[in-house]
Amino acid sequence: MSGKLQSTAIGELPSGESESTAVPTAVTRLTWALFVASLGVLAGRLLGWWAPTGTAFGLFAVDGLTLLLWVVVTFFGGIVASYSRRYMAGTRGIDRFFGRVLGFVGAVMVLVAADHLLLFAAAWLGMGLVMADLIGHVRGWPQAQAAASLARRYFVGGTALLGVALAVLWWQTGATTVSGAVAAAGSLSSTTVFAVAGALVLAAMVQSALLPFHGWLLGSMTAPTPASALMHAGFVNAGGILLLRFAPVVTAEPSVMLAIVLVGAVSALGGKLLKSVQPDVKRRLGCSTVGQMGFMIMQAGLGFFGAAITHLILHGFYKAYKFLSSGSRIEHTGPKSGSDAASLGAVGAAITLLSAVAGGGVFVAITGKGAGLNSGLILTLVVVVTTLHAVRTTIAHTDLPAWARVGAVPLVFLPAIALYGAVYLAVKEVLHGLPIVTAAAELTVGHLLVAAAFLATYAAIESGAYRHSRRLYVALVNAAQPPSTTVLTSTEDYNEY
C-alpha cells in the first residue's frame, strides 16, 4: 500500500437520499425500458400484428434478426447495469462506466438494424471503441490502459478488414446498402467472393477472439467484472452476426465455408486446451469463450446460421452468469477435477458416451438435423459436444460426490440439449424472411476429415493424454499468457485504484 486514500470498491446499494449521482439509476431504468419495448415489438411481429418492410431513409432495416438481438442485448445490458449499481458503488468514474454500458447497448442496437454500408461500419467501430474504453475503465492503472490500447488496435484492425469487404462490395455491385449488396452476391466473380469473404471472416475472427486473435481477450481482464460479462455475453458474438448478415456472400464458395469450419474447429479445441493451463478464474472463462466462439463459427461454416445465432444467445446467458458469479469461486479451498468420466474410470466414460448418443438422438428428433448423410450430422456433433462440455463443467463445480456428479450428467444433459433444440427452432422462426438462414453445406471428404480430427483431438483432451507432453504443456502456457503489459505484477498496486 502506498498510503493513498482510496474510495470504497464495494458498498451498499446507493439510495435516492445519498450523494450519489442519478446516472446509474437512470441508465438501468432506460436499459430495461428498451428491453420491454424491444420484447413488445418482437412479440407483435410474431403474433402477426405487423411485419416490417423496406428500409428507413436507406439507413435502417428492421427484421427478425434485428428484433431478436435487440431483446437479447437490452436484456444483458439491463442485467449488467442492475448488477453494477452495487458492484461499482463508491468507485471513481461510475458515471462514465454506466455511460459506456448504455453506449455499448446503443451501438449494438444500431449495428443490427443498420442497412447502409457506412452506418454498419461506423456502428461496428463504435462498438469496439466503447468496449476498449470499458477494458481501460480505471484511468490511473497502467495495465488497464495497456489492455485498452491493445484491444483498440485489434478492433480498429477488424474494422479495417470489414471496411475493405464493404468497399469491394460497393465497387462491384454499386449498392450502398447491406441488403442491396448481398442481393447482388450472385453476380460477383469468384475472385471477388474470395476477397470479400476472406475479409469478412477475418473481421469476424478478430471480433470473436478466435485463434490467433485471442490476445486482446486474454489481456482484457482489467475490465470490471460486469464489463467482462457484457463483453463475453454480447461483444464477441458479433462475429456470428456479421457472417449471417453477409451469408449470401460467404456461402457462394464451398471452399470458403469449409475454411470457416476449419478455423472454428481449431479455436474450439485450442480454447479448451488453453483453458486447461489457466489458474486464473476469469482467464479460464476467457479461454472458454475462445472455444465456444469456435463452435459458433463452425455452425456458421456448416451453413446453419440459425444454429449459430442460437449458440451465441445460449452462450451469452451461460457466460454472463459465469462472470457475474465468478467471485463465489474464491470460496473453493481445493481444486476439483473437471473430468467426471476420469473420476470413475470406464463407468464414467460409458455414462458420458451413452449420454452423448442419447442427446444426439434428442436433438435430431426435435430439429430434424442429422437424420441423413449431410452436414447436419456434424452440426449435431457440435451441439452435443458443446452442450455436454457446458453441463459437465457446471456439474464438476458442485459439492456432489464424484459418483453423483457422473450420474447427474444424463439427468442434466438431456433436458439441456432438448432446450437447445427448442430454442433453435424458435430462432429459425424469428429469422424467417432473411436472405439465408440455412444453407447446409454439402458433406465432403474435407468435412469428414475435419470431423474425425476434431473428435480424435477432443477425446485426447478429455482423457488427459495431452498432459504427457511437456513440450505441448510449455507451448500452451506460452500461448495462454496475456500480453505482459496488461499483467499486474504487484497485486498491492491494484489497491490504489
Side-chain angles (χ1 to χ4, degrees), residues 125-136:
L125 177 61
M127 178 177 60
L129 294 180
V130 171
M131 183 53 65
D133 196 71
L134 283 170
I135 292 173

Side-chain angles (χ1 to χ4, degrees), residues 106-474:
V108 175
M109 294 183 73
V110 171
L111 175 72
V112 298
D115 193 44
H116 197 283
L117 296 178
L118 286 178
L119 181 61
F120 189 92
W124 186 273
L125 177 61
M127 178 177 60
L129 294 180
V130 171
M131 183 53 65
D133 196 71
L134 283 170
I135 292 173
H137 172 70
V138 182
R139 291 293 189 255
W141 187 7
Q143 288 82 2
Q145 298 312 303
S149 178
L150 175 68
R152 196 174 294 113
R153 291 196 297 271
Y154 271 93
F155 301 154
V156 170
T159 304
L161 289 166
L162 175 62
V164 168
L166 300 183
V168 173
L169 282 175
W170 167 75
W171 178 41
Q172 292 293 318
T173 66
T176 59
T177 61
V178 174
S179 56
V182 298
S187 64
L188 299 175
S189 66
S190 296
T191 302
T192 302
V193 169
F194 278 117
V196 173
L200 289 172
V201 171
L202 287 173
M205 290 175 66
V206 171
Q207 190 79 6
S208 296
L210 267 63
L211 298 176
F213 305 111
H214 63 295
W216 73 263
L217 188 67
L218 296 185
S220 69
M221 302 307 163
T222 58
T225 296
S228 294
L230 196 61
M231 181 194 311
H232 290 257
F235 182 80
V236 296
N237 294 328
I241 297 168
L242 177 65
L243 294 182
L244 174 56
R245 278 298 187 205
F246 292 91
V249 179
V250 297
T251 58
E253 288 290 340
S255 56
V256 172
M257 296 293 283
L258 180 57
I260 294 174
V261 173
L262 181 59
V263 299
V266 170
S267 281
L269 295 172
K272 185 172 178 60
L273 284 170
L274 293 177
K275 179 184 176 182
S276 67
V277 297
Q278 280 286 4
D280 180 85
V281 173
K282 289 180 66 175
R283 288 200 177 95
R284 283 177 61 86
L285 292 174
C287 292
S288 171
T289 294
V290 173
Q292 291 299 319
M293 291 299 98
F295 283 119
M296 179 192 69
I297 295 296
M298 283 183 72
Q299 293 174 329
L302 292 170
F304 296 100
F305 294 96
I309 297 300
T310 301
H311 189 88
L312 69 85
I313 292 174
L314 294 178
H315 171 261
F317 279 99
Y318 176 76
K319 200 53 63 73
Y321 165 75
K322 283 292 186 178
F323 265 99
L324 295 182
S325 63
S326 59
S328 63
R329 295 288 303 279
I330 298 174
E331 297 177 3
H332 290 288
T333 56
K336 289 187 177 182
S337 172
S339 177
D340 295 326
S343 63
L344 288 185
V347 174
I351 291 176
T352 301
L353 181 60
L354 290 174
S355 299
V357 173
V362 170
F363 184 77
V364 171
I366 293 176
T367 66
K369 306 301 180 185
L373 294 176
N374 51 45
S375 57
L377 282 173
I378 303 180
L379 172 66
T380 303
L381 168 67
V382 169
V383 172
V384 167
V385 169
T386 187
T387 308
L388 186 59
H389 172 73
V391 167
R392 293 182 63 203
T393 299
T394 301
I395 293 176
H397 293 145
T398 65
D399 293 327
L400 296 172
W403 64 267
R405 293 203 302 272
V406 175
V409 168
L411 299 178
V412 179
F413 171 64
L414 295 179
I417 200 166
L419 175 63
Y420 197 116
V423 173
Y424 172 51
L425 293 181
V427 168
K428 280 188 62 178
E429 179 63 26
V430 173
L431 299 183
H432 178 73
L434 267 68
I436 291 182
V437 176
T438 301
E442 181 181 352
L443 196 62
T444 65
V445 175
H447 288 92
L448 294 177
L449 290 175
V450 171
F454 178 86
L455 276 178
T457 307
Y458 191 86
I461 295 173
E462 283 293 289
S463 66
Y466 70 96
R467 295 190 179 96
H468 299 297
S469 173
R470 294 184 179 180
R471 180 172 299 179
L472 176 59
Y473 176 80
V474 171

